[in-house]
């Protein structure tokens, strides 16, 4: 069941859109913020609330790669793999993150703390190589800086 708070937040989005169903991406983000990810049951509840079919909403959820359809870690690391970051050492940065976390891209660390995902340009090319952890941007990365950053989340 969607909580009263989740429903309230979704309803608050309605005035911004002509149709209820147009709120679907925001609604998925809202429930994901509360639950960490969007399970099949949750997706069905949101679809029903927006008068959509689960298949329609699942198609939307699948299109947006930042809507998580399986459990993720407490923190999401998005490491930029676009051109400026490639030039400035993305591969080295990605490898260091993978080694430190003991996971590959798309996986979650054994302690459940981090999920590591690739992302297109974060709009911080002047600070390449760059990554985001949750809503926070980190640039000019090197292995030492990454270790310092990760230690603040442990
Ligand atoms: S290419 Fe990585 S932030 Fe733009």
């Amino acid at each position: 069941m969607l909580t009263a708070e989740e429903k309230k937040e979704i309803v608050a989005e309605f005035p911004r859109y002509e149709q209820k169903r147009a709120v679907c991406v925001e609604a998925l983000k809202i429930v994901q913020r509360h639950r960490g990810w969007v399970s099949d049951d949750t997706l069905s509840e949101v679809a029903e609330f927006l008068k959509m079919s689960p298949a329609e909403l699942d198609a939307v959820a699948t299109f947006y790669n930042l809507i998580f359809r399986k459990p993720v870690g407490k923190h999401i690391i998005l490491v930029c793999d676009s051109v400026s970051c490639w030039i400035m050492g993305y591969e080295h940065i990605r490898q260091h993150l993978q080694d430190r976390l003991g996971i590959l891209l798309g996986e979650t660390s054994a302690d459940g703390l981090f999920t590591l995902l690739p992302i297109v340009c974060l709009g911080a090319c002047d600070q390449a190589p760059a990554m985001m952890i949750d809503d926070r941007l980190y640039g000019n990365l090197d292995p030492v800086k990454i270790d310092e950053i990760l230690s603040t989340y442990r």
Side-chain angles (χ1 to χ4, degrees):
M1 287 285 290
L2 293 178
T3 66
E5 181 62 29
E6 288 167 338
K7 286 181 182 173
K8 189 174 147 196
E9 289 181 34
I10 294 170
V11 168
E13 294 291 329
F14 287 164
R16 298 177 56 210
Y17 300 89
E18 284 190 17
Q19 295 181 330
K20 246 184 183 185
R21 57 176 45 216
V23 174
C24 62
V25 174
E26 287 308 316
L28 290 168
K29 286 194 213 166
I30 288 167
V31 295
Q32 180 166 280
R33 194 168 61 245
H34 285 276
R35 303 173 186 214
W37 65 291
V38 181
S39 69
D40 289 346
D41 286 348
T42 299
L43 184 123
S44 294
E45 290 160 14
V46 174
E48 187 180 342
F49 192 65
L50 297 177
K51 307 282 187 256
M52 299 173 71
S53 73
E56 285 176 309
L57 188 57
D58 192 30
V60 173
T62 304
F63 181 76
Y64 287 92
N65 61 354
L66 294 182
I67 298 295
F68 308 126
R69 295 286 281 119
K70 61 181 186 179
V72 290
K74 184 174 179 193
H75 303 291
I76 306 296
I77 301 177
L78 300 171
V79 57
C80 175
D81 64 0
S82 292
V83 63
S84 297
C85 290
W86 263 99
I87 292 168
M88 297 303 287
Y90 157 79
E91 283 182 284
H92 189 46
I93 295 306
R94 186 209 62 216
Q95 191 61 53
H96 188 74
L97 281 163
Q98 290 183 167
D99 292 346
R100 278 290 177 266
L101 301 173
I103 56 175
L104 299 174
L105 289 176
E107 295 181 343
T108 298
S109 57
D111 59 7
L113 212 46
F114 298 104
T115 295
L116 181 62
L117 299 171
I119 194 161
V120 295
C121 181
L122 289 165
C125 306
D126 59 330
Q127 300 174 56
M131 68 177 180
M132 279 188 88
I133 301 183
D134 303 329
D135 293 331
R136 185 152 181 201
L137 179 72
Y138 297 96
N140 301 310
L141 297 174
D142 60 41
V144 172
K145 190 167 177 183
I146 286 173
D147 290 346
E148 287 171 6
I149 292 166
L150 292 180
S151 71
T152 65
Y153 288 86
R154 291 189 189 277

